Amino acid sequence: MELNDVKEPVPATVRKAPVTPLSTAGAAATTDVLIVGAGPTGLTLAIDLARRGVPALLVEKADRLFPGSRGKGIQPRTLELLDDLGLAETVLRAGRDYPRMRDWVGPDGTERGREWDVIERAEPTEQEPYANILLVGQARFQELLYAHLKSLGGDVAFHTEVTAADQDADGVTASLADGRTVRARYLVAGDGGRSGIRRALGIAMEGESVDPRPMLVADLTVTDDAVVDDLNWHVWTHSSDGGAVLCPLPGEPNLFQLIAQYSDENAVPDTGDAGVRKLVAARTAITEEQIAEVHWASDFRPRAALADRYREGRIFLAGDAAHIHSPAGGQGLNTSVQDAYNLGWKLAQVLRHGAPDTLLDTYEQERRPIAADMLGLSTRLHRTAILGENSQRGSEVRQLGLGYRGGPLSTGRAGALEAGDRAPDGRLPGGRIFDLLRGPHFTLLAFDAPAPAPALTGDRVRVHELGAYEAYGRGLFLVRPDGYVGWAGEDATGLDDYLASIGATERP
């Protein structure tokens, strides 16, 4: 569907935030936002704040980025987020489509069995240019996020552990393990499922066991003569001790993610190098000698849990610190990254543009229900797979249908959309709608409007008058920086009030 009369897109304005240094002496470092944990959540938030010119400090208690691939799937909605951050092409080049599953059968699991798709394939459309989940190991994904953060002037303070956080009416003082302190206006805890900050705040993590049997996950490299290839996701179920799957990870030759399930609830997985090698040899067609290297290994019991609240004063929970998922369906990493994407623009509006602090309450109001739904989905997919039923993943895992209808920042409707809906893409004579949305600004799209769009100045809201497009219909649509329609109307009545409520008012 062609869109007519589009004006030349205005390049996105990207600022480089000043890097907040950690002092080496006794003086406290100061920053606007202290982010704890340099996983996908923390890195994404740091990138979003950096491009908005918001000073932030990202700290990580380890001495490097997490080396393993707990997650490995980037859903289409997350690819749209990465498009906005200027990372989509980089991530797409680093990844690949999910391979077909390959069953290995026979008494010793050495005979090739059937092939099938665990992922329901879809074709890109004008409205949804990213149609399928992308396979990228979490370790590689984090490396790409980190490189992008550094290109924006940001960095990670490694080997920096937050041991306490005390807050008052004006900010948070974080104590570090080495005796230094950091003073921040807000703190975001992205420190994982065992979040020390969440526990210190006394925020309960209610949940349930998805499966009482333990699992082991590892990244390993096999030798060239190993029977597995990178064309399939290899599955073995012949062992009475439990199943094992090996999924090829792009980026390095012969690199695979191993996931093994134990039949015995009381089993204690051996995550040592020798233990992983023995497990692979016992359950697959690969010998111990054909494992060139075990890069990382860990064990867990699948659990679904959700924090009672996401905010305590000036401290926020995000990612696994707020919700823990079964790996089934690839929802955990994606939900986490989108937490950061939702919170980033709101922090910037409060810190840089005078929006009321109550805007930050909408982070929990919008994201917690999404996490609850995604927890239900991943738990259902996990238990379906246990029962041996058809567990093919369809459109429900792509997260393109998620939105904030009826939420605190969703006002009005027009044409084909209601406020809270994801803003669809579409072709323009000189590009795409996503080109107009890309960047840290709000975007007012006037589709086939009977009157000229309101005149707005400055860089907070970009205005574009466009021809008819059925995906939107006729009307005015204010698209938030995270790609959702915040306000919609057949005319501009109520737009000023909405912009004022979120700190986006700019008029001649």
Side-chain angles (χ1 to χ4, degrees):
M1 180 67 63
E2 183 175 281
L3 305 180
N4 301 313
D5 304 322
V6 65
K7 298 176 182 178
E8 188 69 20
V10 179
T13 299
V14 177
R15 301 174 176 86
K16 288 191 175 183
V19 177
T20 301
L22 270 173
S23 62
T24 55
T30 59
T31 191
D32 277 356
V33 183
L34 174 61
I35 307 167
V36 183
T41 307
L43 288 164
T44 301
L45 180 58
I47 288 169
D48 200 23
L49 293 176
R51 69 173 182 157
R52 298 174 185 281
V54 177
L57 174 62
L58 174 57
V59 300
E60 168 58 51
K61 68 178 182 180
D63 60 1
R64 57 174 175 160
L65 296 175
F66 182 73
S69 296
R70 289 193 180 104
K72 59 181 180 297
I74 309 300
Q75 298 291 356
R77 178 57 190 147
T78 302
L79 288 170
E80 292 183 350
L81 174 164
L82 296 171
D83 185 306
D84 177 54
L85 295 179
L87 262 170
E89 289 301 320
T90 299
V91 174
L92 286 168
R93 286 195 298 270
R96 56 168 288 184
D97 289 339
Y98 262 65
R100 302 193 77 200
M101 308 295 285
R102 161 73 73 182
D103 198 17
W104 289 82
V105 297
D108 53 1
T110 57
E111 301 174 22
R112 294 178 182 268
R114 67 186 180 102
E115 287 189 7
W116 75 97
D117 277 316
V118 72
I119 305 296
E120 184 181 285
R121 314 285 175 170
E123 292 297 322
T125 67
E126 290 185 9
Q127 299 176 29
E128 299 176 352
Y130 305 106
N132 294 301
I133 185 173
L134 183 75
L135 177 64
V136 181
Q138 180 177 328
R140 180 59 179 146
F141 181 53
Q142 291 177 159
E143 290 172 354
L144 299 176
L145 291 172
Y146 184 37
H148 193 60
L149 174 62
K150 294 187 76 170
S151 76
L152 295 172
D155 209 334
V156 177
F158 290 107
H159 209 272
T160 303
E161 181 179 3
V162 174
T163 57
D166 299 305
Q167 59 179 314
D168 53 43
D170 299 317
V172 182
T173 300
S175 301
L176 306 182
D178 61 7
R180 293 177 295 173
T181 60
V182 178
R183 179 67 176 175
R185 294 176 67 182
Y186 295 98
L187 184 151
V188 180
D191 52 342
R194 297 188 177 106
S195 171
I197 292 174
R198 185 191 67 236
R199 287 179 288 174
L201 291 171
I203 298 177
M205 192 82 162
E206 300 296 335
E208 62 175 326
S209 171
V210 175
D211 187 342
R213 299 172 299 169
M215 299 183 74
L216 181 145
V217 60
D219 290 349
L220 51 87
T221 298
V222 301
T223 57
D224 290 337
D225 61 341
V227 70
V228 293
D229 54 45
D230 64 0
L231 302 177
N232 291 108
W233 190 346
H234 305 272
V235 182
W236 287 268
T237 58
H238 68 284
S239 172
S240 61
D241 292 331
V245 296
L246 282 170
C247 181
L249 296 176
E252 296 182 24
N254 300 331
L255 179 64
F256 289 82
Q257 181 203 54
L258 165 72
I259 296 181
Q261 174 94 59
Y262 290 77
S263 300
D264 182 2
E265 294 181 13
N266 298 314
V268 179
D270 184 350
T271 59
D273 186 283
V276 173
R277 291 173 185 271
K278 289 178 181 177
L279 182 147
V280 172
R283 299 194 190 185
T284 77
I286 299 171
T287 66
E288 291 188 44
E289 293 73 26
Q290 289 174 324
I291 299 175
E293 184 176 359
V294 177
H295 302 279
W296 163 85
S298 182
D299 65 296
F300 66 99
R301 294 177 189 265
R303 184 169 176 257
L306 183 63
D308 283 354
R309 58 189 185 279
Y310 281 19
R311 181 181 190 183
E312 181 68 30
R314 290 179 169 267
I315 301 177
F316 299 87
L317 305 181
D320 287 353
H323 43 79
I324 301 171
H325 301 248
S326 156
Q331 301 300 295
L333 182 152
N334 292 273
T335 303
S336 298
V337 166
Q338 290 171 45
D339 285 347
Y341 193 49
N342 180 283
L343 182 56
W345 73 265
K346 295 173 181 178
L347 284 167
Q349 288 303 112
V350 171
L351 291 166
R352 298 192 74 248
H353 302 302
D357 180 82
T358 53
L359 177 64
L360 299 174
D361 290 335
T362 68
Y363 164 64
E364 175 183 324
Q365 293 164 358
E366 291 187 330
R367 293 305 301 167
R368 193 172 183 277
I370 294 288
D373 288 345
M374 294 303 96
L375 284 169
L377 173 62
S378 58
T379 298
R380 185 170 66 253
L381 289 173
H382 189 113
R383 288 174 174 165
T384 297
I386 291 173
L387 296 173
E389 299 175 6
N390 181 5
S391 57
Q392 189 178 59
R393 283 76 160 126
S395 60
E396 72 277 8
V397 303
R398 296 176 187 142
Q399 300 197 351
L400 293 172
L402 300 180
Y404 305 122
R405 280 191 180 190
L409 296 181
S410 301
T411 302
R413 68 170 303 138
L417 298 179
E418 183 175 334
D421 290 346
R422 164 190 164 274
D425 196 11
R427 292 181 183 175
L428 303 172
R432 301 160 47 201
I433 290 176
F434 278 4
D435 295 333
L436 306 182
L437 305 183
R438 190 177 301 113
H441 55 272
F442 293 82
T443 309
L444 182 63
L445 301 176
F447 283 95
D448 196 24
L456 301 172
T457 62
D459 197 45
R460 298 184 203 174
V461 184
R462 304 278 180 84
V463 182
H464 300 279
E465 297 185 16
L466 309 171
Y469 181 35
E470 61 186 355
Y472 283 80
R474 191 180 193 186
L476 300 173
F477 305 88
L478 181 71
V479 182
R480 304 171 3 169
D482 58 356
Y484 292 94
V485 177
W487 175 94
E490 296 180 358
D491 57 40
T493 303
L495 176 59
D496 278 348
D497 290 341
Y498 184 88
L499 291 172
S501 72
I502 56 175
T505 301
E506 287 183 297
R507 276 296 178 98

